Amino acid sequence: MRRLCLVILFGFAASLAQAQTVTTERLVNSEREPGNWLNHHGNLEAHRFSALDQINRENVKDLKVAFTFAMGGTQGGGKEIITFAYSGLEGTPIAEDGYLYLTTGWGVVTKLDTRGGVPRVLWTYDPAPDRDYATTVACCGINNRGVVFGGDMVIGPVIDGRIIALNKTDGTLVWEAQVADPGISETITGAPLIVKDMVVTGMAGAEFGVRGWLEALDINTGKRIWRTHMIPGPGEPGHETWKDNHDAWKTGGASTWITGSYDPELNLIIWGTANPGPDWDNAYRPGDNLWTDSTVALDADTGEIKWGFQHTPNDPYDYDSINENTFVDTQINGKFTRATIHSNRNGYVYAHDRATGKCLWATQFVDKLNWSGGLDKDCRPNAYDPNSDIQSYVPGTAAGRGTATEGRGTIEGVLEPGHMGGKNWPPTTYSPHTGMYYIPTIEGCNKAVTDIEVPGKFKHRQLFLGGYPFTTFDDPNCGRISGSITAINVSDGRVAGKYHTKHPQLGGLLSTAGGLVFSGYAAGEFVAHDAETLEPLWKFETGSAINAPPMSFMSDGKQYIALEVGLGGAWPQWFVAATPELKSQVPSNILYVFELP
């Protein structure tokens, strides 16, 4: 025991000597430090691109395991309402000077010293959420997507709605703030975004009838600076799009559970919002339901919404617009443009002018899509009926009440892409070397039914869904769900390539200057693809399903690729029947780090 303590103290002293303040300037200019991974998405533009090229097309075949680290945190929890057998891993490690900072699904933070190629634990901090209570207010697993750097701290979420700030040198608690209210089913699973001297955080809970928001906290104290609700209240622009007479806006969803992006020159934060609530009974909430299913741009200093674009008005499909927004400055349609690129659950990828919100192009990225009737010149669904307050889009795709006035609806919808979306939360990547934007795609369809919601029925901490999706793998018309990696040319929005996979892409992507795109497959394979052709060049079997995106960093002058392995989240709960092989996958909760010999 004494020797172990000495080893940890030696590592601790070394970390003290190398600690640097992660300033706003460093975060904004993170590309100048390709050996570090300073922001959650790599940079503030959400490229998830590594400029390191030691590992490349020519030598990736020699990639091998450098080390593994058992992260733990597989413990489940929950009783009465929802039971989760285990937690998984959805996080992205952050890295500075050879030190990695990791989180488990329960929010336990660990600092690893990777120098020398053998990991050493320097400290661990357990925020100790109530494992039984937390699971009663979570729709889709015990998740935590990581911490971020801010000053001399690492700052991250806890599922029970706290944001914690830890001294990055010794792991001691600097401050914590109870931001979300788990008493009304608000939780936090996404990594925050550091903007100037603020910690900007979203929240989860749309399946429980919350009213979504973004909040900015003082980075030094955790005190609130501003909070902006994503659903406008009475007297605010957009409130008129809630046309019911029972205050559906109060339980209307629009949570904000994936990390947004920041443009320091425009001083804009751009973030995606989740589905309206109830998810499948859109007759309960007539109107377009702003700003659910939307991309919104906010003034960073005040939180004021400057523009918004709604992708699926009065959504009957659970088609979140929560996915990350990737900033690209390039020639689009022959003109230099500062764009934000967003791949939506509804099967379309959109490019918007990030200063004005104008849609520049939109492209179908899934193989099959049946709900919209195409898009018009403003990137709106052709099947949208402006004269109706309750949208059914293309007949037969949306579940609905039909002739029923209570109980279960009489319409069953068959939808392509399915209710998990053409892309779920696992992040895209953009390579400035190829000019391609790569999407981890879910291919297939599923069905849904409506359970009619009535005013007065809603109760806090009970699921507020208005129906549910379902599928069976042996259904000849709508069965097995597969996947692909889809490459989009950002200059014109065309699909430049597609590589199909047996299972949906549930882990997210990383592109590199070595001409590679890395992907963790749902059945456990970690694969390096050629960034030009998408053909696999290398594969490693991890032995456990992957639900987290890879990243790259440098330690002692050597490039490494890191990946957290351990299936959790929504797939085992809602959609595993469409991928029966994944029922046997286990949440190993192991960090894999790869190197060249």
Side-chain angles (χ1 to χ4, degrees):
M1 181 64 71
R2 181 176 176 82
R3 178 173 294 182
L4 176 62
C5 291
L6 288 173
V7 170
I8 293 176
L9 286 171
F10 175 79
F12 174 66
S15 71
L16 276 172
Q18 295 213 9
Q20 302 179 56
T21 298
V22 181
T23 61
T24 295
E25 181 180 4
R26 288 183 67 194
L27 294 175
V28 169
N29 299 291
S30 60
E31 291 89 348
R32 298 175 183 172
E33 304 179 45
N36 293 329
W37 191 275
L38 296 182
N39 294 290
H40 173 65
H41 290 307
N43 59 8
L44 290 175
E45 294 91 339
H47 286 179
R48 288 194 171 259
F49 170 82
S50 172
L52 301 177
D53 61 2
Q54 289 182 4
I55 300 168
N56 54 53
R57 289 188 186 99
E58 285 68 39
N59 60 26
V60 70
K61 64 182 183 299
D62 300 320
L63 205 61
K64 67 182 183 69
V65 175
F67 63 83
T68 61
F69 174 69
M71 293 177 59
T74 59
Q75 302 93 335
K79 55 187 179 181
E80 297 179 0
I81 300 177
I82 303 175
T83 299
F84 297 108
Y86 52 81
S87 74
L89 296 179
E90 296 187 356
T92 303
I94 54 174
E96 182 190 28
D97 300 334
Y99 300 102
L100 289 182
Y101 300 81
L102 318 167
T103 59
T104 70
W106 288 108
V108 176
V109 186
T110 297
K111 180 178 181 178
L112 283 186
D113 183 352
T114 72
R115 295 169 305 160
V118 178
R120 293 174 293 167
V121 176
L122 298 182
W123 55 256
T124 296
Y125 183 87
D126 186 353
D130 185 316
R131 284 185 165 84
D132 285 335
Y133 184 77
T135 57
T136 69
V137 294
C139 83
C140 306
I142 305 303
N143 305 319
N144 185 299
R145 296 182 183 89
V147 291
V148 294
F149 290 116
D152 296 317
M153 300 174 289
V154 290
I155 303 168
V158 186
I159 196 167
D160 60 16
R162 284 177 286 161
I163 295 292
I164 57 174
L166 307 176
N167 183 297
K168 72 173 183 175
T169 300
D170 60 19
T172 55
L173 183 68
V174 179
W175 56 259
E176 74 173 12
Q178 185 69 53
V179 184
D181 182 358
I184 59 172
S185 300
E186 293 180 347
T187 58
I188 304 180
T189 57
L193 178 70
I194 304 301
V195 176
K196 301 180 181 179
D197 57 353
M198 299 181 296
V199 179
V200 182
T201 180
M203 42 75 77
E207 276 65 47
F208 289 88
V210 302
R211 181 186 176 208
W213 46 260
L214 285 178
E215 180 160 316
L217 311 174
D218 186 294
I219 197 170
N220 297 307
T221 65
K223 301 295 184 183
R224 180 189 296 179
I225 296 176
W226 53 256
R227 173 180 282 196
T228 300
H229 282 95
M230 296 296 102
I231 297 177
E236 297 176 335
H239 182 70
E240 71 281 358
T241 65
W242 296 81
K243 298 186 178 183
D244 60 278
N245 58 8
H246 50 268
D247 292 336
W249 63 276
K250 293 181 179 179
T251 54
S255 54
T256 49
W257 48 275
I258 291 296
T259 309
S261 302
Y262 173 57
D263 184 328
E265 295 181 8
L266 295 175
N267 199 35
L268 286 180
I269 297 168
I270 298 183
W271 214 287
T273 70
N275 55 279
D279 302 48
W280 286 280
D281 184 13
N282 62 340
Y284 181 89
R285 44 176 172 80
D288 284 357
N289 306 146
L290 294 177
W291 288 103
T292 67
D293 284 3
S294 299
T295 296
V296 293
L298 302 92
D299 181 280
D301 295 328
T302 66
E304 178 188 1
I305 295 177
K306 308 300 289 187
W307 61 260
F309 181 89
Q310 188 177 48
H311 302 91
T312 313
N314 189 236
D315 175 14
Y317 304 122
D318 193 28
Y319 273 161
D320 284 27
S321 297
I322 199 67
N323 296 335
E324 69 286 345
N325 278 267
T326 300
F327 295 171
V328 176
D329 296 349
T330 190
Q331 293 284 325
I332 293 182
N333 297 328
K335 179 182 178 182
F336 178 78
T337 307
R338 303 167 75 176
T340 181
I341 314 294
H342 166 83
S343 50
N344 197 271
R345 281 199 193 189
N346 69 16
Y348 290 101
V349 53
Y350 300 79
H352 290 268
D353 185 306
R354 65 177 183 268
T356 66
K358 179 183 178 182
C359 189
L360 305 170
W361 53 254
T363 300
Q364 176 182 326
F365 67 88
V366 292
D367 289 339
K368 296 180 179 180
L369 187 152
N370 69 351
W371 68 274
S372 70
L375 302 181
D376 66 17
K377 62 181 179 60
D378 296 317
C379 306
R380 309 284 185 175
N382 284 327
Y384 172 77
D385 182 356
N387 297 313
S388 176
D389 293 331
I390 301 171
Q391 299 296 324
S392 58
Y393 291 101
V394 172
T397 61
R401 293 183 173 188
T403 59
T405 56
E406 59 182 24
R408 181 157 297 171
T410 60
I411 300 173
E412 180 181 291
V414 179
L415 182 64
E416 294 173 323
H419 299 84
M420 197 66 177
K423 174 196 176 298
N424 207 269
W425 75 267
T428 54
T429 182
Y430 168 71
S431 170
H433 287 205
T434 65
M436 299 295 178
Y437 170 82
Y438 304 89
I439 306 171
T441 303
I442 302 172
E443 306 278 8
C445 69
N446 67 343
K447 303 176 182 180
V449 296
T450 294
D451 283 333
I452 296 171
E453 300 288 355
V454 295
K457 176 184 173 183
F458 170 79
K459 292 183 179 180
H460 287 302
R461 301 201 308 276
Q462 291 188 11
L463 286 169
F464 188 55
L465 299 176
Y468 57 89
F470 67 96
T471 188
T472 56
F473 75 93
D474 56 353
D475 186 324
N477 298 314
C478 188
R480 183 178 293 276
I481 297 176
S482 62
S484 69
I485 297 171
T486 304
I488 303 292
N489 188 321
V490 300
S491 65
D492 58 13
R494 65 181 174 85
V495 176
K498 188 180 279 275
Y499 181 83
H500 287 92
T501 57
K502 180 178 180 180
H503 297 115
Q505 287 287 311
L506 303 180
L509 305 175
L510 167 74
S511 60
T512 75
L516 300 169
V517 174
F518 286 91
S519 172
Y521 285 19
E525 308 101 319
F526 187 38
V527 183
H529 294 260
D530 187 300
E532 295 284 355
T533 67
L534 299 182
E535 289 301 311
L537 301 176
W538 169 87
K539 179 174 71 172
F540 178 84
E541 297 282 354
T542 67
S544 180
I546 299 169
N547 203 189
M551 52 81 72
S552 187
F553 69 99
M554 185 169 281
S555 184
D556 291 332
K558 189 172 189 176
Q559 181 183 1
Y560 293 88
I561 307 292
L563 175 72
E564 297 179 8
V565 177
L567 181 65
W571 198 267
Q573 296 170 244
W574 295 96
F575 296 97
V576 75
T579 51
E581 300 88 353
L582 300 185
K583 291 181 179 180
S584 62
Q585 294 292 331
V586 294
S588 62
N589 284 25
I590 301 290
L591 172 74
Y592 281 82
V593 177
F594 298 87
E595 65 178 356
L596 291 173

